Amino acid sequence: MPVDYEALARSKTASISGHRIKADNLNLELATTRLGDIDLCEADKARLNNEAGPAARMAMEIICLMAAVGGTRQLTDVTRGHIDGCILSHSANLIFAEKLADLGAKVSIPTTINAISVDRENWRSQHVPNDFGNRASRLADAYVRMGARPTFTCAPYLLDDAPEFGEVIGWSESNAVIFANTVLGARTPKHPDYLDLFIAMTGRAPASGVYTQEGRVARRVLNVTPLPTPGDHDELFWPLLGWLAGKFSPDHIPLLTGLENLKPSTDDLKSLCAAFGTTSGVPMLHIAGHTPEAHFLPSADAEHRSIGIPEFISAWNELNRGDLKIDLVAIGSPHASIDEARRIADLFGERHCNPSTQLIITIGREILQAARSEGIVDRLERAGVRLIPDLCWCSITEPVFPPDAEGLFTNSGKYAHYAHGLSGRHSRIGSLEDCVETAISGHAPERLPKWLQN
């Protein structure tokens, strides 16, 4: 029962003995979940009866168990998937994927693959150790063997065939999930790794959470004050806002108000959604005047809070803890868009990166191909910029991550939040223009952006 889960979450200690769980004042019997409790279609039953092979049967069993745990008897059809468990963070990732592929696992719906741990075509020339490079490649190859499309991007919504409004999909990468729900109006919970594969194999998912209309209702209202006006801020506003919105609403879908007169670009919303996912566990938010479901009323008991200039200054300080001397400018968390690549090239013009500062853009291979065809890649490379496909800043490791780099700078709220945990270095954050100027000068801006200065 939900009340039992809530009581367990509040408990300081818990233990399991036999078929009972004890925690503070709780003493509950653990009931065995029965697959027959789930409403199944004929195809579901066929999979459970092993008619599609052992891998499909296991996938169906786990989906049913997850439905029961989530408190629903219903499953929903899913039209497309996106695999997130393809980063080689542990040998278990590879063992799991190759075992499923060897069992004959196949996706049954169009499925893309998230960013991986290496530049799939070029890692050998980047001095990546053979053992790591081979295992990371095998992990990616295992999902391709299962029928997934080798997109290797953490921004699948930038592909030509992005999900449509109301489309029921099965994604798991946090920024992609939040963007799909929030900006596109598609529907997908933030599925755990491996469950996303089982959903892709069966085309079925537990019909709970944001798959339902009730699960998409805003239960917190965040009013951004004072009301921003166009032109009085740069695009750094959006990742800072996303980071703050997640911090103010870590466990409830929020509705952001006070932004109705602004005109955020797709990249602004991408940046906001990615930063929001670092501080909030929920799979979406609404932005009044900008996102397709923001007109629905929040819950009657929604808590109202305000985000103002003091909170933005606090966020800027929290995300600017790194050195002022910058060795590495990191762009592409999530993967850079074609518009971002164009703008970076325009901002450089005929200028060049400082000899002691690298600027690296991680980018999806399909966006990279488009940038190359436009001549953008040549312009960026003349400026000393490196473009690396397939991996991203959440999966990059040394030596692709420059081992001697200490001072980091980024335009990404997501990477500024995670940088120290991932690399052992704190980052600084600024606008895309700040990134280019920092790469040229080798030094980060020392002061707050003008729009945050009193």
Side-chain angles (χ1 to χ4, degrees), residues 193-213:
D193 288 352
Y194 307 144
L195 183 62
D196 51 9
L197 173 61
F198 299 145
I199 291 170
M201 290 167 59
T202 61
R204 301 279 276 169
S208 58
V210 290
Y211 281 138
T212 69
Q213 190 59 43

Side-chain angles (χ1 to χ4, degrees), residues 65-357:
L65 289 170
M66 292 297 289
V69 169
T72 181
R73 294 172 52 94
Q74 307 297 319
L75 302 181
T76 185
D77 289 330
V78 173
T79 57
R80 70 176 81 198
H82 184 70
I83 303 299
D84 187 45
C86 48
I87 293 176
L88 186 65
S89 57
H90 192 278
S91 295
N93 301 105
L94 178 59
I95 294 169
F96 169 84
E98 290 192 331
K99 180 65 173 178
L100 265 291
D102 291 344
L103 286 173
K106 295 290 182 183
V107 301
S108 64
I109 55 177
T111 301
T112 49
I113 305 177
N114 201 51
I116 57 176
S117 296
V118 290
D119 176 346
R120 184 67 186 85
E121 308 300 331
N122 303 297
W123 63 265
R124 289 178 178 83
S125 64
Q126 296 164 349
H127 308 294
V128 173
N130 283 336
D131 178 65
F132 182 84
N134 282 321
R135 290 189 297 122
S137 296
R138 283 168 50 195
L139 177 57
D141 293 344
Y143 286 109
V144 175
R145 284 167 56 197
M146 288 185 268
R149 177 178 158 196
T151 49
F152 305 144
T153 180
C154 54
Y157 45 83
L158 295 179
L159 300 172
D160 289 339
D161 57 345
E164 299 178 353
F165 178 82
E167 186 175 352
V168 178
I169 63 177
W171 287 6
S172 56
E173 204 284 337
S174 64
N175 98 85
V177 165
I178 296 166
F179 189 96
N181 283 305
T182 300
V183 181
L184 303 181
R187 298 192 170 205
T188 176
K190 195 183 294 182
H191 293 297
D193 288 352
Y194 307 144
L195 183 62
D196 51 9
L197 173 61
F198 299 145
I199 291 170
M201 290 167 59
T202 61
R204 301 279 276 169
S208 58
V210 290
Y211 281 138
T212 69
Q213 190 59 43
E214 175 64 20
R216 302 174 73 83
V217 172
R219 303 191 182 280
R220 184 158 292 158
V221 178
L222 304 177
N223 185 36
V224 183
T225 59
L227 191 69
T229 56
D232 70 352
H233 63 278
D234 57 29
E235 74 266 16
L236 178 60
F237 173 83
W238 298 100
L240 292 183
L241 177 59
W243 190 86
L244 285 167
K247 191 174 182 180
F248 277 57
S249 193
D251 54 358
H252 293 295
I253 293 173
L255 167 66
L256 274 58
T257 64
L259 309 169
E260 290 84 348
N261 65 326
L262 300 185
K263 296 181 179 180
S265 67
T266 298
D267 287 322
D268 292 333
L269 297 175
K270 173 168 78 88
S271 182
L272 180 148
C273 289
F276 177 77
T278 66
T279 49
S280 179
V282 300
M284 68 179 300
L285 66 157
H286 302 287
I287 308 172
H290 300 292
T291 58
E293 295 172 85
H295 60 284
F296 290 113
L297 293 175
S299 62
D301 60 349
E303 179 185 0
H304 290 246
R305 300 188 66 178
S306 294
I307 298 175
I309 294 299
E311 287 75 28
F312 276 95
I313 293 174
S314 176
W316 188 90
N317 287 326
E318 179 66 23
L319 297 176
N320 276 275
R321 298 169 64 187
D323 297 339
L324 288 169
K325 182 183 180 302
I326 301 302
D327 306 301
L328 174 64
V329 178
I331 296 175
S333 180
H335 274 168
S337 70
I338 187 69
D339 286 339
E340 287 174 309
R342 291 185 187 117
R343 182 150 183 250
I344 294 167
D346 289 342
L347 286 167
F348 267 105
E350 299 302 319
R351 298 179 297 171
H352 194 278
C353 288
N354 188 286
S356 63
T357 305

